[in-house]
Structure formats: C-alpha cells, structure tokens
Amino acid sequence: MSFEYRAEIVQLLRAPTHAYFGRSKDGPAEVPTDLPSSVEIVAHKGIRGDRFFGVKAHTEAAVSLLAVEAWEAVGDVLGVEVPDPAVARRNVVVRGLELDPLRGVEFQLNSGDGWITFRGGRPAHPCAWMDRMVADGARKALIGRGGLRIEPLSDGTLRVGELAVRSPVELDAARAALSVRRAQPI
C-alpha cells in the first residue's frame, strides 16, 4: 500500500432486514436498525448481523460505504437539509475519504483494532426511495454520490471514530462530495 490517510467513521449501520422494498408510497418497513459503535467484519461475508451477511449474490458487495460529504452535497444541490445519513442505509459512513478511486483495488481500514483488507467493488447506486425519504430529486442528486460497495477480505472490527486508510491509489478528501459519472464495471 503506497498511500496512508486519516479519515473518520461517523456512523455504522447494521440492519437484519431490508427497510426499502415495495412501493415507496406505502412507506418503509418497520425493521430494527442498529447504529452501533462497532461492527464485526467477517472475510467474504460482510458485517455480522447485517441483511447482506453471507448472501452469495452480495459477497463482492457485502459492505457499503458512504462519504458524508456526498450526502451533505445532496442537500446543497436540492437546497434542503438532509436527514441523518442512516436514511441512506449504508453500513459505514465516513468523513474525509474519497471513495471512487477505491473501485477495483484492495485497500485497508483500521479504526483502532488492526488493519482490515477490503476490495472496492461497484458503486452503491441510490434507489427511488431517496425521493421519498430525503426530498424530491434526491435520487438524481445522489447518482454518482451514493457510495461504494466493498468486499471484506479479512476479519476485524470497525469502530466509530478515527480511521486510518491504506490505499494503493492516491485519494483526495476534497473530492469526497463530487458526483462521479463512470460506467459501473471496473
């Protein structure tokens, strides 16, 4: 890993079932959602206790990241105050970390309990529910800002707070809020 950065985990989310399915006019499902101070990461499975844990179709995308700067930029674009980032239902919300260059590469995160290796996967595209849960136009404003799906390659623990990042590619925290328009595959 050539580059090291400092960032912050501002929120962790673990939910055993999906809240957004069906028609948004019917409202989200009443499901338990946990905003813990730490989560257990299991290699090739995801976050223990989360809805995507060990699901074969999601092993390469078992954990989702969101830059809080991108979430807040949606409010700027729409001229509204955005709700808590938990509404986005991303597992790990970070501050000070550009995500898009991590697509297709192995990188490491350490929030105090040792390094965990991940592989960046596909973008985490926003769903139509964001128009209902945030504001009209939120889905469109989140395109290219919805985050990144990643696969854990080793076990460990992530905690809210300071985060060390090791990356083989250069990252620029000033670009964390930008909308990135790229084809999905790497």
Side-chain angles (χ1 to χ4, degrees):
M1 302 285 166
S2 302
F3 303 96
E4 287 203 24
Y5 302 95
R6 295 282 174 219
E8 176 188 8
I9 294 177
V10 296
Q11 186 176 81
L12 295 166
L13 182 140
R14 179 178 51 214
T17 59
H18 296 279
Y20 303 151
F21 57 86
R23 297 176 301 188
S24 64
K25 71 178 183 124
D26 297 332
E30 291 291 327
V31 298
T33 299
D34 188 18
L35 300 175
S37 60
S38 67
V39 293
E40 179 187 357
I41 304 292
V42 179
H44 309 290
K45 292 190 180 224
I47 294 174
R48 187 173 303 282
D50 189 65
R51 62 206 180 276
F52 294 116
F53 184 80
V55 176
K56 292 280 186 210
H58 290 283
T59 54
E60 293 179 0
V63 177
S64 56
L65 295 176
L66 175 67
V68 75
E69 296 91 340
W71 182 250
E72 292 166 350
V74 170
D76 295 341
V77 167
L78 298 176
V80 301
E81 189 170 322
V82 290
D84 185 294
V87 168
R89 311 283 293 163
R90 301 294 187 244
N91 299 119
V92 183
V93 180
V94 295
R95 180 180 307 284
L97 184 60
E98 181 186 19
L99 300 178
D100 191 65
L102 297 173
R103 292 183 339 143
V105 301
E106 289 185 18
F107 62 96
Q108 296 178 314
L109 302 178
N110 181 347
S111 60
D113 292 281
W115 293 100
I116 307 170
T117 302
F118 294 90
R119 180 182 302 113
R122 65 183 186 264
H125 295 299
C127 67
W129 278 86
M130 293 299 98
D131 286 343
R132 175 177 171 97
M133 302 305 294
V134 178
D136 283 339
R139 180 185 174 278
K140 185 175 179 181
L142 273 165
I143 293 173
R145 290 187 175 103
L148 182 66
R149 297 196 178 281
I150 60 176
E151 177 184 9
L153 302 179
S154 64
D155 299 341
T157 299
L158 286 179
R159 297 182 185 282
V160 170
E162 291 184 18
L163 179 67
V165 180
R166 288 182 180 160
S167 167
V169 296
E170 211 166 345
L171 304 173
D172 181 357
R175 298 180 50 81
L178 297 182
S179 176
V180 178
R181 310 282 181 178
R182 291 199 181 163
Q184 184 168 318
I186 283 285

